[in-house]
Amino acid sequence: MTKYFSADLGGITPYVAGEQPQDKSYIKLNTNESPYPPAHGVEAAAAQQSAKLNLYSDPTYLPLKKAIASVYGLSPENVLCGNGSDEVLFFIFRAFCSKDNGMACPDVSYGFYPVLCNLLNIPYTAVELAPDFTVNPQDYKGFTNICIANPNAQTGIYLPLGGVEQIIKNVSGVAVVDEAYIDFGGQSAASLINKYPNLIVVQTMSKSRSLAGGRVGFALANRQLISDLEAVRSSFNPYNINRMSMFAAVSSLEDTEYFHSCIDKIVHAREYTVTELKKLGFDVLLSKANFVLAKSGKMGGGELYLKLKENGILVRHFDSPRIKDYIRVTIGSRMQMAQLITTLKKILSGEA
Ligand SMILES: *Cc1c(COP(=O)(O)O)cnc(C)c1O
């Protein structure tokens, strides 16, 4: 770091994103992207806007707000969008957390939460998950602000809505429920946003809607909270939703049939993968997401990750105490998952 780097950022540890190798083609099961291309109309919608890139995008992005609101039976005033849900999380943490009230999150969850707290000088508390990696709602009593991912990141475990409601009621500040994976199983808390004054639901189009590269995420909350978030967004970057992504996202949201067909395929491929991994002796956590966290009794997580990479398959390994023995495998197409299983068999029998 240079001597010019702001002193209050001294201890900053940036988020490490999953690899996006540009050199060689891998079966890419490491960053929870969809194996399927965006919906049919998306390419044309983005191309049409590309001819107008000389003009700023619409800072109100109302067509996108309307399209998202209609999916959840809400109104556009209940929606805020970001350049990916990572940016939405930034707006939320900046708007509602401070050095006095902090943020609490599960100890095994999305690695971006502590990074963001660090950047924004927000005291961060890691709340330990139960030994079986489930969230216990009682553990969140007494905190001001909390953020949980549901289904949880890295584990894939889903907390039923009753438990989520208990947590929301137990905190005095905002309760952020990050539903990046909710479309793959589980019930959204979006229906509760007008019941609780402190609930913010965050979702993304990166995973279930095949738009990771489009960078569109959103928050759903009552209109007062959204109005606060809009104030932060407009103070930071009023044009955060670029025009190509906005229309790509609207087009994607219109094609519900394609959306459901992709989800069905991924859920089936997940069931197949879990069954096959268990046959190979893996311990697999019960996932409602588009990934599974699995541990082989025969080989450590780091070694397995490297072996798979050598064999052209990328998965994710987290070198953190509680999950270092596991690998996280994104659910791709059925064919990709069959290749994963074949390769794992070879690796574990010493043939590869
Ligand atoms: C992937 C992910 C995000 C970020 O998604 P964006 O691509 O920034 O929309 C947010 N939260 C969780 C839990 C995720 O897994």
Side-chain angles (χ1 to χ4, degrees):
M1 268 150 206
T2 67
K3 63 178 180 179
Y4 309 107
F5 200 64
S6 184
D8 61 355
L9 291 178
I12 205 172
T13 323
Y15 179 70
V16 182
E19 299 158 87
Q20 298 288 351
Q22 312 289 330
D23 52 334
K24 147 171 184 198
S25 83
Y26 288 93
I27 295 180
K28 207 171 165 301
L29 307 176
N30 69 329
T31 51
N32 300 342
E33 291 141 323
S34 173
Y36 303 111
H40 184 65
V42 166
E43 192 177 340
Q48 205 177 17
Q49 292 302 315
S50 72
K52 300 183 195 169
L53 284 175
N54 56 315
L55 302 175
Y56 279 111
S57 56
D58 172 1
T60 71
Y61 57 100
L62 193 58
L64 179 54
K65 284 194 171 193
K66 281 185 177 159
I68 292 167
S70 82
V71 171
Y72 294 96
L74 299 168
S75 65
E77 292 81 14
N78 299 124
V79 182
L80 167 123
C81 293
N83 191 325
S85 55
D86 287 344
E87 190 184 60
V88 173
L89 291 166
F90 172 87
F91 295 151
I92 293 169
F93 283 39
R94 183 65 188 87
F96 303 114
C97 309
S98 70
K99 68 176 188 336
D100 304 317
N101 62 21
M103 176 55 101
C105 307
D107 63 338
V108 179
S109 193
Y110 187 34
F112 193 59
Y113 307 144
V115 170
L116 207 46
C117 286
N118 204 349
L119 176 70
L120 293 168
N121 286 315
I122 298 163
Y124 171 81
T125 309
V127 180
E128 229 179 279
L129 293 177
D132 65 356
F133 292 110
T134 53
V135 167
N136 179 2
Q138 297 307 323
D139 296 341
Y140 293 81
K141 263 190 186 153
F143 289 109
T144 308
N145 305 303
I146 66 95
C147 178
I148 58 165
N150 196 33
N152 197 10
Q154 314 340 339
T155 69
I157 296 172
Y158 170 70
L159 174 68
L161 222 43
V164 174
E165 279 197 82
Q166 260 182 283
I167 295 177
I168 299 167
K169 287 187 216 165
N170 276 343
V171 297
S172 55
V174 293
V176 183
V177 183
D178 181 347
E179 296 184 337
Y181 302 105
I182 197 73
D183 294 329
F184 301 104
Q187 213 183 337
S188 173
S191 57
L192 302 173
I193 60 161
N194 288 309
K195 185 172 173 188
Y196 296 105
N198 62 335
L199 169 62
I200 306 173
V201 173
V202 176
Q203 291 198 12
T204 176
M205 300 193 63
S206 294
K207 280 108 189 197
S208 59
R209 297 193 187 262
S210 302
L211 277 183
R215 312 302 304 124
V216 179
F218 54 93
L220 305 171
N222 65 59
R223 62 182 63 203
Q224 292 81 7
L225 289 177
I226 293 296
S227 166
D228 288 346
L229 289 171
E230 279 294 352
V232 173
R233 185 188 71 88
S234 301
S235 306
F236 176 72
N237 181 6
Y239 305 107
N240 64 329
I241 306 299
N242 76 75
R243 59 168 60 241
M244 289 172 74
S245 292
M246 176 165 97
F247 286 92
V250 170
S251 173
S252 167
L253 288 160
E254 282 165 354
D255 198 341
T256 47
E257 203 179 311
Y258 180 73
F259 168 69
H260 289 297
S261 79
C262 291
I263 299 283
D264 282 352
K265 282 190 274 191
I266 291 167
V267 168
H268 279 112
R270 181 178 72 205
E271 285 163 11
Y272 160 80
T273 308
V274 170
T275 306
E276 295 301 315
L277 285 174
K278 285 185 174 165
K279 282 190 209 162
L280 291 178
F282 277 85
D283 177 14
V284 189
L285 299 192
L286 179 62
S287 171
K288 291 280 184 190
N290 68 336
F291 61 85
V292 292
L293 195 68
K295 178 170 76 172
S296 161
K298 296 180 188 151
M299 199 177 274
E303 193 184 354
L304 201 46
Y305 155 81
L306 283 175
K307 276 279 181 194
L308 283 167
K309 189 171 177 181
E310 276 172 30
N311 285 277
I313 301 179
L314 277 186
V315 300
R316 194 98 199 253
H317 173 247
F318 296 92
D319 197 12
S320 60
R322 290 191 72 180
I323 57 172
K324 67 175 173 18
D325 295 337
Y326 291 78
I327 52 170
R328 191 196 67 185
V329 181
T330 300
I331 304 300
S333 67
R334 168 68 190 247
M335 202 157 66
Q336 289 177 318
M337 302 325 284
Q339 277 178 274
L340 169 82
I341 297 299
T342 307
T343 308
L344 281 173
K345 271 183 200 160
K346 286 187 189 158
I347 292 172
L348 294 174
S349 67
E351 282 171 61

mmCIF file of all heavy atoms in Angstrom, residues 15 30-33 110 113 149-156 158 178-186 202-204 206-208 263 270 287-291 328 330:
data_model
loop_
_atom_site.group_PDB
_atom_site.id
_atom_site.type_symbol
_atom_site.label_atom_id
_atom_site.label_comp_id
_atom_site.label_asym_id
_atom_site.label_seq_id
_atom_site.Cartn_x
_atom_site.Cartn_y
_atom_site.Cartn_z
ATOM 1 N N TYR A 15 -12.259 -8.927 -0.745
ATOM 2 C CA TYR A 15 -12.966 -10.165 -1.043
ATOM 3 C C TYR A 15 -12.242 -10.882 -2.177
ATOM 4 O O TYR A 15 -11.782 -10.260 -3.127
ATOM 5 C CB TYR A 15 -14.406 -9.845 -1.474
ATOM 6 C CG TYR A 15 -15.216 -11.076 -1.831
ATOM 7 C CD1 TYR A 15 -15.618 -11.976 -0.851
ATOM 8 C CD2 TYR A 15 -15.573 -11.342 -3.149
ATOM 9 C CE1 TYR A 15 -16.351 -13.103 -1.171
ATOM 10 C CE2 TYR A 15 -16.310 -12.470 -3.486
ATOM 11 C CZ TYR A 15 -16.699 -13.350 -2.488
ATOM 12 O OH TYR A 15 -17.429 -14.463 -2.812
ATOM 13 N N ASN A 30 -17.592 -23.370 -10.050
ATOM 14 C CA ASN A 30 -16.967 -22.697 -8.896
ATOM 15 C C ASN A 30 -17.604 -21.392 -8.466
ATOM 16 O O ASN A 30 -17.282 -20.896 -7.402
ATOM 17 C CB ASN A 30 -15.474 -22.454 -9.176
ATOM 18 C CG ASN A 30 -15.249 -21.419 -10.253
ATOM 19 O OD1 ASN A 30 -16.070 -21.286 -11.170
ATOM 20 N ND2 ASN A 30 -14.165 -20.691 -10.171
ATOM 21 N N THR A 31 -18.475 -20.781 -9.267
ATOM 22 C CA THR A 31 -19.006 -19.481 -8.823
ATOM 23 C C THR A 31 -20.532 -19.389 -8.894
ATOM 24 O O THR A 31 -21.096 -18.291 -8.932
ATOM 25 C CB THR A 31 -18.370 -18.300 -9.588
ATOM 26 O OG1 THR A 31 -18.462 -18.566 -10.987
ATOM 27 C CG2 THR A 31 -16.908 -18.083 -9.228
ATOM 28 N N ASN A 32 -21.174 -20.538 -8.907
ATOM 29 C CA ASN A 32 -22.647 -20.597 -8.819
ATOM 30 C C ASN A 32 -23.381 -19.854 -9.929
ATOM 31 O O ASN A 32 -24.497 -19.383 -9.740
ATOM 32 C CB ASN A 32 -23.119 -20.115 -7.436
ATOM 33 C CG ASN A 32 -22.560 -20.961 -6.323
ATOM 34 O OD1 ASN A 32 -22.096 -22.078 -6.564
ATOM 35 N ND2 ASN A 32 -22.587 -20.461 -5.099
ATOM 36 N N GLU A 33 -22.716 -19.760 -11.087
ATOM 37 C CA GLU A 33 -23.409 -19.221 -12.264
ATOM 38 C C GLU A 33 -24.357 -20.284 -12.804
ATOM 39 O O GLU A 33 -24.226 -21.469 -12.495
ATOM 40 C CB GLU A 33 -22.378 -18.875 -13.354
ATOM 41 C CG GLU A 33 -21.483 -17.704 -13.012
ATOM 42 C CD GLU A 33 -20.035 -17.912 -13.476
ATOM 43 O OE1 GLU A 33 -19.534 -19.059 -13.413
ATOM 44 O OE2 GLU A 33 -19.410 -16.921 -13.898
ATOM 45 N N TYR A 110 -21.689 -15.816 3.438
ATOM 46 C CA TYR A 110 -21.098 -15.121 2.297
ATOM 47 C C TYR A 110 -19.919 -14.259 2.765
ATOM 48 O O TYR A 110 -20.081 -13.377 3.613
ATOM 49 C CB TYR A 110 -22.179 -14.272 1.643
ATOM 50 C CG TYR A 110 -21.801 -13.613 0.346
ATOM 51 C CD1 TYR A 110 -20.938 -14.213 -0.573
ATOM 52 C CD2 TYR A 110 -22.353 -12.376 0.008
ATOM 53 C CE1 TYR A 110 -20.621 -13.599 -1.766
ATOM 54 C CE2 TYR A 110 -22.052 -11.766 -1.198
ATOM 55 C CZ TYR A 110 -21.186 -12.378 -2.080
ATOM 56 O OH TYR A 110 -20.882 -11.766 -3.266
ATOM 57 N N TYR A 113 -19.765 -10.190 3.427
ATOM 58 C CA TYR A 113 -20.313 -9.395 4.546
ATOM 59 C C TYR A 113 -19.210 -8.809 5.443
ATOM 60 O O TYR A 113 -19.215 -7.600 5.699
ATOM 61 C CB TYR A 113 -21.298 -10.227 5.388
ATOM 62 C CG TYR A 113 -22.427 -10.897 4.633
ATOM 63 C CD1 TYR A 113 -22.886 -12.158 5.008
ATOM 64 C CD2 TYR A 113 -23.061 -10.279 3.556
ATOM 65 C CE1 TYR A 113 -23.931 -12.796 4.335
ATOM 66 C CE2 TYR A 113 -24.097 -10.912 2.875
ATOM 67 C CZ TYR A 113 -24.525 -12.170 3.270
ATOM 68 O OH TYR A 113 -25.541 -12.794 2.605
ATOM 69 N N ALA A 149 -27.845 -15.104 4.940
ATOM 70 C CA ALA A 149 -28.160 -15.569 3.591
ATOM 71 C C ALA A 149 -29.093 -16.766 3.753
ATOM 72 O O ALA A 149 -28.849 -17.641 4.583
ATOM 73 C CB ALA A 149 -26.889 -15.976 2.859
ATOM 74 N N ASN A 150 -30.168 -16.798 2.994
ATOM 75 C CA ASN A 150 -31.132 -17.896 3.090
ATOM 76 C C ASN A 150 -31.664 -18.272 1.703
ATOM 77 O O ASN A 150 -32.336 -17.467 1.097
ATOM 78 C CB ASN A 150 -32.297 -17.491 3.999
ATOM 79 C CG ASN A 150 -33.103 -18.693 4.442
ATOM 80 O OD1 ASN A 150 -32.571 -19.783 4.627
ATOM 81 N ND2 ASN A 150 -34.395 -18.517 4.593
ATOM 82 N N PRO A 151 -31.361 -19.503 1.227
ATOM 83 C CA PRO A 151 -30.460 -20.511 1.784
ATOM 84 C C PRO A 151 -29.075 -19.916 2.046
ATOM 85 O O PRO A 151 -28.658 -18.988 1.363
ATOM 86 C CB PRO A 151 -30.387 -21.563 0.675
ATOM 87 C CG PRO A 151 -31.647 -21.406 -0.116
ATOM 88 C CD PRO A 151 -31.961 -19.951 -0.053
ATOM 89 N N ASN A 152 -28.393 -20.491 3.054
ATOM 90 C CA ASN A 152 -27.124 -19.897 3.446
ATOM 91 C C ASN A 152 -26.027 -20.168 2.400
ATOM 92 O O ASN A 152 -26.006 -21.219 1.766
ATOM 93 C CB ASN A 152 -26.689 -20.432 4.804
ATOM 94 C CG ASN A 152 -25.602 -19.579 5.458
ATOM 95 O OD1 ASN A 152 -25.298 -18.475 4.973
ATOM 96 N ND2 ASN A 152 -25.013 -20.068 6.525
ATOM 97 N N ALA A 153 -25.155 -19.185 2.243
ATOM 98 C CA ALA A 153 -24.015 -19.351 1.343
ATOM 99 C C ALA A 153 -23.072 -20.399 1.932
ATOM 100 O O ALA A 153 -22.995 -20.550 3.162
ATOM 101 C CB ALA A 153 -23.282 -18.025 1.176
ATOM 102 N N GLN A 154 -22.397 -21.071 1.060
ATOM 103 C CA GLN A 154 -21.419 -22.146 1.366
ATOM 104 C C GLN A 154 -22.082 -23.429 1.888
ATOM 105 O O GLN A 154 -21.650 -24.512 1.538
ATOM 106 C CB GLN A 154 -20.303 -21.735 2.336
ATOM 107 C CG GLN A 154 -19.593 -20.402 2.127
ATOM 108 C CD GLN A 154 -19.649 -19.751 0.774
ATOM 109 O OE1 GLN A 154 -19.902 -20.379 -0.228
ATOM 110 N NE2 GLN A 154 -19.399 -18.452 0.731
ATOM 111 N N THR A 155 -23.136 -23.326 2.718
ATOM 112 C CA THR A 155 -23.755 -24.568 3.198
ATOM 113 C C THR A 155 -24.942 -24.989 2.329
ATOM 114 O O THR A 155 -25.212 -26.172 2.190
ATOM 115 C CB THR A 155 -24.277 -24.431 4.646
ATOM 116 O OG1 THR A 155 -25.397 -23.545 4.665
ATOM 117 C CG2 THR A 155 -23.192 -23.928 5.579
ATOM 118 N N GLY A 156 -25.699 -24.037 1.802
ATOM 119 C CA GLY A 156 -26.911 -24.333 1.032
ATOM 120 C C GLY A 156 -28.122 -24.621 1.897
ATOM 121 O O GLY A 156 -29.225 -24.844 1.396
ATOM 122 N N TYR A 158 -31.310 -24.218 4.144
ATOM 123 C CA TYR A 158 -32.425 -23.272 4.158
ATOM 124 C C TYR A 158 -33.044 -23.194 5.548
ATOM 125 O O TYR A 158 -33.260 -24.221 6.195
ATOM 126 C CB TYR A 158 -33.469 -23.730 3.130
ATOM 127 C CG TYR A 158 -34.783 -23.005 3.197
ATOM 128 C CD1 TYR A 158 -34.884 -21.669 2.798
ATOM 129 C CD2 TYR A 158 -35.940 -23.646 3.642
ATOM 130 C CE1 TYR A 158 -36.101 -21.001 2.860
ATOM 131 C CE2 TYR A 158 -37.161 -22.987 3.696
ATOM 132 C CZ TYR A 158 -37.227 -21.657 3.309
ATOM 133 O OH TYR A 158 -38.445 -20.998 3.375
ATOM 134 N N ASP A 178 -30.591 -12.222 2.691
ATOM 135 C CA ASP A 178 -29.989 -12.285 1.355
ATOM 136 C C ASP A 178 -30.444 -13.590 0.688
ATOM 137 O O ASP A 178 -29.987 -14.674 1.022
ATOM 138 C CB ASP A 178 -28.464 -12.244 1.515
ATOM 139 C CG ASP A 178 -27.718 -12.272 0.181
ATOM 140 O OD1 ASP A 178 -28.333 -12.557 -0.857
ATOM 141 O OD2 ASP A 178 -26.495 -12.022 0.194
ATOM 142 N N GLU A 179 -31.344 -13.441 -0.270
ATOM 143 C CA GLU A 179 -31.953 -14.615 -0.910
ATOM 144 C C GLU A 179 -31.379 -14.884 -2.302
ATOM 145 O O GLU A 179 -32.114 -15.171 -3.243
ATOM 146 C CB GLU A 179 -33.475 -14.436 -0.976
ATOM 147 C CG GLU A 179 -34.129 -14.373 0.391
ATOM 148 C CD GLU A 179 -35.648 -14.290 0.365
ATOM 149 O OE1 GLU A 179 -36.208 -13.847 -0.667
ATOM 150 O OE2 GLU A 179 -36.270 -14.638 1.374
ATOM 151 N N ALA A 180 -30.068 -14.836 -2.412
ATOM 152 C CA ALA A 180 -29.421 -15.073 -3.709
ATOM 153 C C ALA A 180 -29.825 -16.426 -4.310
ATOM 154 O O ALA A 180 -29.839 -16.588 -5.527
ATOM 155 C CB ALA A 180 -27.901 -15.001 -3.556
ATOM 156 N N TYR A 181 -30.145 -17.389 -3.428
ATOM 157 C CA TYR A 181 -30.409 -18.761 -3.900
ATOM 158 C C TYR A 181 -31.840 -19.217 -3.683
ATOM 159 O O TYR A 181 -32.141 -20.391 -3.846
ATOM 160 C CB TYR A 181 -29.444 -19.723 -3.187
ATOM 161 C CG TYR A 181 -28.001 -19.362 -3.423
ATOM 162 C CD1 TYR A 181 -27.236 -18.754 -2.430
ATOM 163 C CD2 TYR A 181 -27.408 -19.589 -4.665
ATOM 164 C CE1 TYR A 181 -25.916 -18.396 -2.660
ATOM 165 C CE2 TYR A 181 -26.092 -19.232 -4.897
ATOM 166 C CZ TYR A 181 -25.354 -18.638 -3.888
ATOM 167 O OH TYR A 181 -24.046 -18.286 -4.128
ATOM 168 N N ILE A 182 -32.731 -18.307 -3.317
ATOM 169 C CA ILE A 182 -34.083 -18.711 -2.900
ATOM 170 C C ILE A 182 -34.873 -19.396 -4.019
ATOM 171 O O ILE A 182 -35.713 -20.249 -3.760
ATOM 172 C CB ILE A 182 -34.864 -17.484 -2.348
ATOM 173 C CG1 ILE A 182 -36.079 -17.940 -1.538
ATOM 174 C CG2 ILE A 182 -35.286 -16.538 -3.447
ATOM 175 C CD1 ILE A 182 -35.740 -18.521 -0.198
ATOM 176 N N ASP A 183 -34.587 -19.050 -5.276
ATOM 177 C CA ASP A 183 -35.374 -19.621 -6.374
ATOM 178 C C ASP A 183 -35.133 -21.112 -6.566
ATOM 179 O O ASP A 183 -35.893 -21.783 -7.255
ATOM 180 C CB ASP A 183 -35.068 -18.887 -7.689
ATOM 181 C CG ASP A 183 -35.533 -17.445 -7.654
ATOM 182 O OD1 ASP A 183 -36.540 -17.157 -6.978
ATOM 183 O OD2 ASP A 183 -34.879 -16.594 -8.307
ATOM 184 N N PHE A 184 -34.065 -21.643 -5.947
ATOM 185 C CA PHE A 184 -33.754 -23.066 -6.115
ATOM 186 C C PHE A 184 -34.421 -23.923 -5.035
ATOM 187 O O PHE A 184 -34.164 -25.121 -4.941
ATOM 188 C CB PHE A 184 -32.239 -23.287 -6.108
ATOM 189 C CG PHE A 184 -31.535 -22.531 -7.202
ATOM 190 C CD1 PHE A 184 -30.820 -21.371 -6.922
ATOM 191 C CD2 PHE A 184 -31.619 -22.961 -8.521
ATOM 192 C CE1 PHE A 184 -30.189 -20.660 -7.928
ATOM 193 C CE2 PHE A 184 -30.990 -22.256 -9.536
ATOM 194 C CZ PHE A 184 -30.273 -21.106 -9.237
ATOM 195 N N GLY A 185 -35.264 -23.335 -4.210
ATOM 196 C CA GLY A 185 -35.968 -24.085 -3.169
ATOM 197 C C GLY A 185 -36.137 -23.201 -1.963
ATOM 198 O O GLY A 185 -35.211 -22.514 -1.571
ATOM 199 N N GLY A 186 -37.319 -23.236 -1.338
ATOM 200 C CA GLY A 186 -37.536 -22.381 -0.175
ATOM 201 C C GLY A 186 -38.474 -21.239 -0.519
ATOM 202 O O GLY A 186 -38.691 -20.920 -1.681
ATOM 203 N N VAL A 202 -32.915 -9.264 -0.035
ATOM 204 C CA VAL A 202 -32.002 -8.988 -1.149
ATOM 205 C C VAL A 202 -32.003 -10.181 -2.104
ATOM 206 O O VAL A 202 -31.956 -11.329 -1.651
ATOM 207 C CB VAL A 202 -30.565 -8.735 -0.624
ATOM 208 C CG1 VAL A 202 -29.583 -8.536 -1.776
ATOM 209 C CG2 VAL A 202 -30.546 -7.526 0.300
ATOM 210 N N GLN A 203 -32.118 -9.904 -3.377
ATOM 211 C CA GLN A 203 -32.029 -10.983 -4.365
ATOM 212 C C GLN A 203 -31.129 -10.549 -5.523
ATOM 213 O O GLN A 203 -30.758 -9.389 -5.626
ATOM 214 C CB GLN A 203 -33.420 -11.363 -4.889
ATOM 215 C CG GLN A 203 -34.273 -12.057 -3.828
ATOM 216 C CD GLN A 203 -35.456 -12.812 -4.420
ATOM 217 O OE1 GLN A 203 -35.536 -13.023 -5.629
ATOM 218 N NE2 GLN A 203 -36.365 -13.225 -3.552
ATOM 219 N N THR A 204 -30.805 -11.529 -6.363
ATOM 220 C CA THR A 204 -29.923 -11.250 -7.494
ATOM 221 C C THR A 204 -30.421 -11.954 -8.742
ATOM 222 O O THR A 204 -31.088 -12.980 -8.642
ATOM 223 C CB THR A 204 -28.482 -11.706 -7.185
ATOM 224 O OG1 THR A 204 -27.674 -11.498 -8.350
ATOM 225 C CG2 THR A 204 -28.403 -13.183 -6.802
ATOM 226 N N SER A 206 -28.160 -12.915 -10.833
ATOM 227 C CA SER A 206 -26.918 -13.568 -11.262
ATOM 228 C C SER A 206 -27.012 -15.086 -11.322
ATOM 229 O O SER A 206 -26.327 -15.721 -12.113
ATOM 230 C CB SER A 206 -25.782 -13.226 -10.300
ATOM 231 O OG SER A 206 -25.487 -11.858 -10.362
ATOM 232 N N LYS A 207 -27.802 -15.679 -10.443
ATOM 233 C CA LYS A 207 -27.780 -17.133 -10.350
ATOM 234 C C LYS A 207 -28.974 -17.765 -11.060
ATOM 235 O O LYS A 207 -28.823 -18.366 -12.097
ATOM 236 C CB LYS A 207 -27.687 -17.553 -8.883
ATOM 237 C CG LYS A 207 -26.258 -17.457 -8.365
ATOM 238 C CD LYS A 207 -25.975 -16.361 -7.413
ATOM 239 C CE LYS A 207 -24.496 -16.216 -7.114
ATOM 240 N NZ LYS A 207 -24.242 -15.441 -5.922
ATOM 241 N N SER A 208 -30.161 -17.587 -10.504
ATOM 242 C CA SER A 208 -31.331 -18.279 -11.061
ATOM 243 C C SER A 208 -31.802 -17.696 -12.391
ATOM 244 O O SER A 208 -32.562 -18.324 -13.094
ATOM 245 C CB SER A 208 -32.476 -18.233 -10.050
ATOM 246 O OG SER A 208 -32.815 -16.895 -9.755
ATOM 247 N N ILE A 263 -34.731 -23.719 -13.674
ATOM 248 C CA ILE A 263 -34.730 -24.090 -12.250
ATOM 249 C C ILE A 263 -34.988 -25.597 -12.111
ATOM 250 O O ILE A 263 -34.290 -26.288 -11.359
ATOM 251 C CB ILE A 263 -35.829 -23.311 -11.475
ATOM 252 C CG1 ILE A 263 -35.575 -21.813 -11.545
ATOM 253 C CG2 ILE A 263 -35.949 -23.815 -10.037
ATOM 254 C CD1 ILE A 263 -34.516 -21.292 -10.662
ATOM 255 N N ARG A 270 -29.219 -31.333 -9.222
ATOM 256 C CA ARG A 270 -28.748 -31.302 -7.825
ATOM 257 C C ARG A 270 -29.061 -32.630 -7.138
ATOM 258 O O ARG A 270 -28.202 -33.212 -6.454
ATOM 259 C CB ARG A 270 -29.429 -30.147 -7.065
ATOM 260 C CG ARG A 270 -28.984 -30.013 -5.605
ATOM 261 C CD ARG A 270 -29.659 -28.836 -4.924
ATOM 262 N NE ARG A 270 -31.075 -29.088 -4.670
ATOM 263 C CZ ARG A 270 -32.009 -28.139 -4.535
ATOM 264 N NH1 ARG A 270 -31.685 -26.855 -4.628
ATOM 265 N NH2 ARG A 270 -33.269 -28.455 -4.300
ATOM 266 N N SER A 287 -28.879 -29.230 0.642
ATOM 267 C CA SER A 287 -28.870 -27.932 -0.029
ATOM 268 C C SER A 287 -30.177 -27.611 -0.731
ATOM 269 O O SER A 287 -30.764 -28.452 -1.395
ATOM 270 C CB SER A 287 -27.749 -27.910 -1.076
ATOM 271 O OG SER A 287 -27.857 -26.756 -1.874
ATOM 272 N N LYS A 288 -30.606 -26.360 -0.565
ATOM 273 C CA LYS A 288 -31.739 -25.839 -1.343
ATOM 274 C C LYS A 288 -31.224 -24.791 -2.342
ATOM 275 O O LYS A 288 -31.976 -23.953 -2.820
ATOM 276 C CB LYS A 288 -32.762 -25.195 -0.410
ATOM 277 C CG LYS A 288 -33.495 -26.175 0.464
ATOM 278 C CD LYS A 288 -34.617 -26.854 -0.300
ATOM 279 C CE LYS A 288 -35.434 -27.775 0.597
ATOM 280 N NZ LYS A 288 -36.348 -28.605 -0.206
ATOM 281 N N ALA A 289 -29.938 -24.812 -2.617
ATOM 282 C CA ALA A 289 -29.334 -23.816 -3.503
ATOM 283 C C ALA A 289 -28.866 -24.472 -4.798
ATOM 284 O O ALA A 289 -29.126 -25.651 -5.035
ATOM 285 C CB ALA A 289 -28.170 -23.142 -2.787
ATOM 286 N N ASN A 290 -28.167 -23.726 -5.650
ATOM 287 C CA ASN A 290 -27.627 -24.322 -6.884
ATOM 288 C C ASN A 290 -26.169 -24.751 -6.698
ATOM 289 O O ASN A 290 -25.357 -24.645 -7.606
ATOM 290 C CB ASN A 290 -27.758 -23.355 -8.076
ATOM 291 C CG ASN A 290 -26.875 -22.144 -7.938
ATOM 292 O OD1 ASN A 290 -26.509 -21.775 -6.821
ATOM 293 N ND2 ASN A 290 -26.523 -21.516 -9.044
ATOM 294 N N PHE A 291 -25.864 -25.194 -5.475
ATOM 295 C CA PHE A 291 -24.533 -25.737 -5.181
ATOM 296 C C PHE A 291 -24.695 -26.710 -4.021
ATOM 297 O O PHE A 291 -25.730 -26.694 -3.324
ATOM 298 C CB PHE A 291 -23.553 -24.625 -4.808
ATOM 299 C CG PHE A 291 -23.957 -23.858 -3.589
ATOM 300 C CD1 PHE A 291 -23.635 -24.312 -2.309
ATOM 301 C CD2 PHE A 291 -24.700 -22.687 -3.700
ATOM 302 C CE1 PHE A 291 -24.037 -23.616 -1.177
ATOM 303 C CE2 PHE A 291 -25.107 -21.987 -2.563
ATOM 304 C CZ PHE A 291 -24.772 -22.452 -1.308
ATOM 305 N N ARG A 328 -17.059 -26.889 -2.465
ATOM 306 C CA ARG A 328 -18.377 -26.392 -2.861
ATOM 307 C C ARG A 328 -18.512 -26.559 -4.367
ATOM 308 O O ARG A 328 -17.689 -26.040 -5.128
ATOM 309 C CB ARG A 328 -18.561 -24.927 -2.478
ATOM 310 C CG ARG A 328 -20.007 -24.466 -2.630
ATOM 311 C CD ARG A 328 -20.138 -22.968 -2.626
ATOM 312 N NE ARG A 328 -19.529 -22.387 -3.819
ATOM 313 C CZ ARG A 328 -19.417 -21.074 -4.039
ATOM 314 N NH1 ARG A 328 -19.850 -20.224 -3.126
ATOM 315 N NH2 ARG A 328 -18.857 -20.629 -5.142
ATOM 316 N N THR A 330 -20.824 -26.090 -7.669
ATOM 317 C CA THR A 330 -21.994 -25.498 -8.313
ATOM 318 C C THR A 330 -22.715 -26.564 -9.124
ATOM 319 O O THR A 330 -22.068 -27.419 -9.741
ATOM 320 C CB THR A 330 -21.552 -24.377 -9.273
ATOM 321 O OG1 THR A 330 -20.862 -23.384 -8.525
ATOM 322 C CG2 THR A 330 -22.743 -23.733 -9.975
#
